[in-house]
Amino acid sequence: MASRNLQQVNNPNSANAASPQPQNVNSPADPSEVTETAAPPPRDRSPADTEPHEMTVNLKNFRRPGEKTFTQRCRLFVGNLPSDMTEDDFKKMFSKYGEAKEVFINRDRGFGFIRLETRTLAEIAKAELDGTMLGNRPIRIRFATHGAALTVRNLSPVVSNELLEQAFSQFGPVERAVMVVDDRGRATGKGIVEFANKPAARKALDRCTDGALLLTMSPRPVIIEPTEQFDDEDGLPEKLLQKSAQYHKEREQQPRFAQPGTFEFEYSSRWKALDEMEKQQREQVERNIQEAKEKLEAEMEAAKHEHQLMMMRQDLMRRQEELRRLEELRNQELQKRKQIEMRHEEERRRREEDMIRHREQLDVRRQPEGFKPSFMESREQEMRMNEMGSRGAINMGDSFNPVAAVSSNPSQMGLAGRVGAMGPEGSSNMGTPLIPDNGVMNSSICSEGALAAAAGGDTKHRASFPAP
């Protein structure tokens, strides 16, 4: 189909090529087919219109959006080449199908390889040039075997083409990654990954064989194996069969049905029984594998939940240990704060004591300068000390005698004061003592008495000290 359509486009003697305007060729849904736009209705042609015009094709129309170019899927194997074929002639033969790369010719063995821009152009070139005569021999064109393709099995139904390409891009450049689906578009659990070179494919095969590559959340590793190449497009034509003795022997009879009761029918039945047994055993093996997969998935889910519980326990224990450690740090911080507060309180108390001591020292230093008793006050203090004697402390507040106060005789007043100051037991009962038990004289009382004596010398003023 593609060869016939392309011949219609490039054939200069075609009836549709009479129009001087070029025809537009669009990329069809099927890459192996190339359709041509409808030709204009026939009309009366002038002699000038009968001249042949060659059609031109825009090669960009044969490129799909986002399609990668010059991949190994665009690589053609050309066999049965003449021994005098040069590389320039080989390129010229494929020049009308666009730019070509990786041109290789083995003249001794008569084959070569060429890589075109897109898969569609390679299919068109294969369909048009396969079987053409070149140097009195027909050339044979096939798609070259993809040596860097891998088959991926055990895939989850949620894996897409993009995820498959993303997962295998870590091993090298990926030209094509596709998930194999059935006729309803459901995933079959298989995929094909085609790398740009063989080292990347070998690296992916070794890494996935030694380790476990996971594509999803489930611990379900992918299984990698080299892709077995099949040519299901051309098959084996009659002209390519070798006409050997076995060929002639087997082809003596035409296709037919075996008649019941004959030798052919008996052994045909036995072949069919063997095939049925193989089918049953395959089905049994598939059922066993399916049951084993389901059991493994159930165990995996249970182990997954157990693992999650264990991780949660470990996380809880870790959090508790962290809380305990934080509590210890908090207690240590509180103890440090208490120690710091106690230290500050002690320093504050020490500073207050130092301030009080300093203030007392200042008072002591300031007292001799601000208080200087006169000679009369000193004399009066000595007299009172002599009068006290061995009778103990004298209470100057209780020694006030009104009778002696009104008397004009100072001597009688002094005597009355001394007699009235004595108690029934002969001890002093005069209020606050002038000299306490510690031997220190009350300076306030002495100073007031001395001032009164100095002012007038009157015994009445000298005896009237304030009560304690």
Side-chain angles (χ1 to χ4, degrees):
M1 180 67 180
S3 177
R4 184 175 65 255
N5 292 336
L6 191 66
Q7 288 176 0
Q8 292 177 0
V9 174
N10 293 280
N11 189 3
N13 297 325
S14 176
N16 295 331
S19 176
Q21 298 296 331
Q23 301 292 333
N24 293 327
V25 179
N26 297 325
S27 178
D30 188 358
S32 62
E33 295 184 0
V34 180
T35 59
E36 185 182 5
T37 56
R43 58 184 179 85
D44 295 337
R45 297 184 177 91
S46 61
D49 295 338
T50 58
E51 295 180 0
H53 296 278
E54 186 175 358
M55 298 290 296
T56 58
V57 178
N58 187 5
L59 298 179
K60 294 183 180 180
N61 295 332
F62 295 96
R63 184 187 302 175
R64 297 178 181 178
E67 182 182 5
K68 296 180 180 180
T69 58
F70 299 106
T71 64
Q72 292 200 26
R73 299 184 74 245
C74 311
R75 191 164 170 257
L76 295 175
F77 168 80
V78 183
N80 205 18
L81 292 174
S83 59
D84 58 349
M85 173 68 71
T86 62
E87 185 175 338
D88 294 337
D89 295 337
F90 191 65
K91 284 184 178 181
K92 186 176 181 181
M93 184 172 57
F94 290 90
S95 61
K96 63 180 179 180
Y97 304 106
E99 184 181 359
K101 284 187 177 181
E102 192 186 350
V103 178
F104 172 78
I105 294 180
N106 190 336
R107 297 181 181 178
D108 297 335
R109 303 182 61 179
F111 70 89
F113 291 95
I114 189 170
R115 184 179 300 191
L116 299 180
E117 185 175 3
T118 63
R119 175 79 176 188
T120 304
L121 292 174
E123 290 175 351
I124 296 174
K126 174 180 175 296
E128 184 176 0
L129 298 179
D130 185 27
T132 57
M133 300 300 294
L134 188 62
N136 297 326
R137 62 172 64 181
I139 62 175
R140 298 288 181 255
I141 299 179
R142 292 180 179 272
F143 280 99
T145 303
H146 201 305
L150 299 177
T151 299
V152 186
R153 296 188 292 106
N154 199 30
L155 294 174
S156 174
V158 299
V159 178
S160 62
N161 300 340
E162 290 77 10
L163 180 59
L164 195 64
E165 181 176 358
Q166 177 185 356
F168 284 90
S169 296
Q170 58 181 315
F171 306 110
V174 177
E175 292 182 348
R176 179 171 171 262
V178 60
M179 286 288 298
V180 180
V181 297
D182 57 9
D183 55 348
R184 297 184 180 181
R186 296 176 298 186
T188 60
K190 295 182 180 181
I192 297 176
V193 178
E194 297 176 354
F195 289 92
N197 49 61
K198 290 184 179 181
R202 175 57 59 183
K203 180 179 179 181
L205 183 62
D206 295 340
R207 290 284 303 277
C208 295
T209 302
D210 298 337
L213 178 61
L214 307 178
L215 302 188
T216 59
M217 185 69 180
S218 175
R220 185 176 180 178
V222 297
I223 308 299
I224 307 297
E225 60 186 11
T227 302
E228 188 176 359
Q229 301 292 333
F230 294 101
D231 187 0
D232 56 355
E233 295 182 0
D234 296 334
L236 185 59
E238 184 72 20
K239 59 184 178 180
L240 298 180
L241 279 175
Q242 295 182 0
K243 307 301 188 290
S244 61
Q246 183 181 3
Y247 170 81
H248 293 289
K249 181 180 179 180
E250 293 291 338
R251 298 292 291 269
E252 288 180 357
Q253 293 185 6
Q254 298 296 326
R256 65 199 179 279
F257 280 98
Q259 297 298 325
T262 60
F263 172 81
E264 295 176 346
F265 185 82
E266 179 182 357
Y267 279 90
S268 298
S269 301
R270 293 176 65 177
W271 275 107
K272 292 180 67 177
L274 180 61
D275 183 74
E276 186 66 23
M277 183 177 64
E278 181 183 2
K279 180 180 178 181
Q280 292 177 2
Q281 290 181 358
R282 288 181 181 273
E283 291 177 354
Q284 183 63 32
V285 170
E286 291 179 357
R287 284 194 298 268
N288 295 338
I289 293 177
Q290 186 65 27
E291 291 176 0
K293 287 182 178 180
E294 293 176 357
K295 182 179 179 181
L296 182 60
E297 289 181 356
E299 293 178 356
M300 184 178 62
E301 290 295 330
K304 181 179 178 181
H305 292 313
E306 184 66 23
H307 178 71
Q308 290 178 352
L309 290 176
M310 184 180 66
M311 295 298 294
M312 292 175 64
R313 293 193 193 99
Q314 293 179 358
D315 185 67
L316 180 61
M317 294 176 62
R318 183 180 58 81
R319 290 177 181 271
Q320 290 178 353
E321 182 67 20
E322 186 176 357
L323 288 176
R324 186 184 63 79
R325 186 174 57 83
L326 292 176
E327 187 67 21
E328 292 179 356
L329 293 176
R330 180 175 175 273
N331 294 334
Q332 293 177 2
E333 186 69 21
L334 290 177
Q335 291 179 0
K336 289 181 180 180
R337 289 184 180 180
K338 288 182 180 179
Q339 293 177 359
I340 292 174
E341 290 178 358
M342 293 176 62
R343 193 181 300 111
H344 290 172
E345 183 66 21
E346 185 178 356
E347 292 178 358
R348 185 182 62 80
R349 187 167 56 252
R350 186 167 56 250
R351 287 196 299 269
E352 290 180 355
E353 292 177 357
D354 294 342
M355 292 177 63
I356 293 173
R357 190 180 300 108
H358 183 66
R359 189 180 297 112
E360 291 177 354
Q361 293 177 359
L362 291 178
D363 293 341
V364 171
R365 293 176 183 176
R366 195 180 297 113
Q367 184 175 358
E369 298 177 359
F371 178 75
K372 296 180 179 180
S374 61
F375 175 77
M376 294 300 295
E377 292 177 351
S378 302
R379 184 64 180 169
E380 181 69 21
Q381 184 175 2
E382 293 178 357
M383 290 175 62
R384 292 190 179 187
M385 292 292 292
N386 293 330
E387 290 177 357
M388 182 176 63
S390 61
R391 284 178 284 179
I394 300 175
N395 192 341
M396 298 300 293
D398 296 338
S399 64
F400 178 74
N401 190 353
V403 177
V406 296
S407 177
S408 59
N409 194 351
S411 61
Q412 294 179 355
M413 172 193 163
L415 181 61
R418 287 194 299 269
V419 173
M422 299 298 296
E425 298 179 357
S427 62
S428 169
N429 188 13
M430 299 182 68
T432 304
L434 183 62
I435 301 177
D437 295 338
N438 56 5
V440 180
M441 183 177 65
N442 195 334
S443 61
S444 62
I445 298 176
C446 294
S447 62
E448 291 178 0
L451 290 174
D458 195 350
T459 59
K460 179 174 63 177
H461 295 284
R462 189 171 53 213
S464 58
F465 289 101

